[in-house]
Amino acid sequence: LEQENMAYCLKQCLKGNIPKDAPEYTEKVREMFFMPLPGVIKFRCLSHDLCNKLVEEVKHLERNGVHLERPNSMNKNGAILTDLGFSEALQNMTDYILDPLTSLFLPHNDTASHRHVHGFAVKYKLGEDVKLSEHVDDSDTTLNVSLGLEFTGGSLFFKGWERSTLFKPQKTLDNCMKASEVSHHKGYAVMHVGAHSPGTSGHVHGANELKSGERWNLILWRNPSFTAPVAT
């Protein structure tokens, strides 16, 4: 993953155009992000060109007979990217995006203690998987990037959490009357807390039904104790 492939809003920070020790650094960075719900952050992340290349590479491997390991117990279609030569790219995403933004927006998730990131791609298509039931990720922080392609429907939904001592006012499953919908556009990322986030039980969330087209997502789970794919 080359830094020049990242969306412009992140590139300025990563290139050091705004020094991290400058008083305005945090303010400038925060202006680039939208928080639709407590513990949920949305932002431009990857260029459309890079999104297309990532999807095409996975499809190319599949066409050439490379076995694609099922990414987790809930998604049937996709691939574990660390098994396909993407380890360096995923590490760069962790170093340049996931860890710094977790430190900024979710500082209760201690970056220094994390040594493992599980990265995978998932596909939704009519006749295959078209939605994802509500669940909590096996992570402390999740980064979910929409890779496209062209689709309608398939928005994310969040239902709060069973317990939280961090986010006020607390939106829990007990008082959440309906899910909060978060649109997911190509090149944009949604970052949120998972089951291993200290002080919360993780966001209960899922994906609404795909209406048309084909939808791909790149997902990173940050989890110090991760051993095997469980759910997403």
Side-chain angles (χ1 to χ4, degrees):
L1 178 69
E2 298 296 333
Q3 291 189 30
E4 56 265 27
N5 286 321
M6 297 178 185
Y8 179 81
C9 66
L10 283 177
K11 196 187 304 180
Q12 299 308 303
C13 299
L14 303 182
K15 288 174 65 176
N17 290 352
I18 305 174
K20 289 187 176 182
D21 56 356
E24 68 272 21
Y25 177 81
T26 298
E27 178 182 352
K28 292 293 184 183
V29 172
R30 287 184 182 275
E31 290 176 357
M32 303 173 185
F33 301 88
F34 171 60
M35 189 175 290
L37 296 166
V40 179
I41 300 94
K42 181 178 178 180
F43 58 97
R44 283 189 60 204
C45 184
L46 301 180
S47 68
H48 283 200
D49 181 60
L50 180 56
C51 291
N52 293 339
K53 288 178 178 178
L54 286 170
V55 173
E56 180 53 37
E57 180 63 19
V58 175
K59 288 186 171 185
H60 171 75
L61 292 171
E62 185 175 27
R63 287 195 300 267
N64 283 273
V66 176
H67 174 67
L68 302 185
E69 187 71 29
R70 181 174 175 175
N72 55 68
S73 62
M74 296 183 71
N75 292 102
K76 298 177 182 178
N77 300 291
I80 298 176
L81 296 179
T82 47
D83 293 346
L84 300 175
F86 288 88
S87 296
E88 183 178 354
L90 297 178
Q91 189 60 55
N92 283 340
M93 288 194 72
T94 302
D95 293 342
Y96 292 124
I97 301 177
L98 185 54
D99 281 351
L101 296 185
T102 297
S103 296
L104 182 61
F105 291 102
L106 304 170
H108 55 283
N109 287 348
D110 180 17
T111 299
S113 65
H114 291 79
R115 294 293 180 269
H116 187 90
V117 172
H118 177 52
F120 54 98
V122 294
K123 179 180 73 169
Y124 299 88
K125 185 178 180 180
L126 298 183
E128 301 178 6
D129 287 339
V130 295
K131 63 181 180 179
L132 188 61
S133 301
E134 61 184 59
H135 61 280
V136 178
D137 288 348
D138 187 19
S139 68
D140 76 341
T141 307
T142 292
L143 183 73
N144 183 337
V145 185
S146 175
L147 301 177
L149 300 168
E150 299 292 336
F151 62 91
T152 60
S155 60
L156 305 179
F157 66 84
F158 290 85
K159 286 193 170 183
W161 40 79
E162 294 177 344
R163 57 176 176 79
S164 175
T165 59
L166 293 172
F167 302 111
K168 304 295 182 179
Q170 183 174 340
K171 182 178 181 181
T172 67
L173 295 181
D174 293 336
N175 61 28
C176 181
M177 299 303 295
K178 63 178 182 178
S180 297
E181 188 172 308
V182 177
S183 60
H184 210 189
H185 304 294
K186 186 174 183 177
Y188 278 77
V190 174
M191 189 173 77
H192 60 87
V193 295
H196 299 283
S197 176
T200 82
S201 56
H203 267 296
V204 177
H205 65 289
N208 289 315
E209 186 172 348
L210 187 74
K211 300 300 183 183
S212 67
E214 185 175 334
R215 172 183 169 227
W216 283 78
N217 292 76
L218 166 65
I219 299 171
L220 299 182
W221 285 348
R222 207 181 69 156
N223 183 347
S225 59
F226 182 85
T227 55
V230 180
T232 183

